[in-house]
Amino acid sequence: MSERTLVLIKPDAVRRSLVGEVLARFERKGLSIVAMDLRMVDEVTADRHYAEHVDRDFYPPLRAFVTSGPLVAMVLEGDQAIAVVRAINGATDGRAAAAGTIRGDFSLSNRENLVHASDSPESAAREIAIFFPDL
Ligand code: CMP
């Protein structure tokens, strides 16, 4: 079943000039880009996006990180896109993520892990509405 998912190529990936590398992996898999935008995220938007994490110990540095520079927000579409994108991204902690995944190949961090992707259809609908309200 075709699904849409919200993907963020985070500021660490932009700073490290890995946008093309990351995007190529999604495109080669066969996912379609429905929307894509390089932008700064402000603290209000970060708090909305990470609403389930705002009370966690790791949230203040996470917010500082996601607002630290431009990121690439996008909506990807395809068959089972939510699960497929999460598999391509790998485990949250780049140190534990499997080789061959984006995080496994390029991240040594639990925070600066290059990409975010929606984890369920409900999250995808909520997150797409935050970043691309006109879709
Ligand atoms: P993401 O998939 O965007 O979802 C929540 C983010 O919080 C996660 O990627 C990491 O960037 C960050 N994160 C999750 N757990 C931790 C942690 N234990 N320490 C630091 N950052 C974390």
Side-chain angles (χ1 to χ4, degrees), residues 10 50 53 58 62 92 103 110-113 115-117:
K10 296 181 182 180
Y50 283 127
H53 297 312
F58 65 75
L62 173 61
T92 301
R103 290 162 171 166
N110 208 9
R111 178 182 308 119
E112 301 204 8
N113 60 359
V115 278
H116 165 84

Side-chain angles (χ1 to χ4, degrees), residues 8 10 49-50 52-53 56-59 61-62 65-66 86 89 92-93 95 103 109-118:
L8 303 177
K10 296 181 182 180
H49 174 67
Y50 283 127
E52 67 180 312
H53 297 312
R56 304 289 294 274
D57 289 348
F58 65 75
Y59 187 67
L62 173 61
F65 164 55
V66 296
R86 289 182 71 81
N89 288 353
T92 301
D93 187 335
R95 296 163 296 193
R103 290 162 171 166
S109 170
N110 208 9
R111 178 182 308 119
E112 301 204 8
N113 60 359
L114 301 153
V115 278
H116 165 84
S118 308

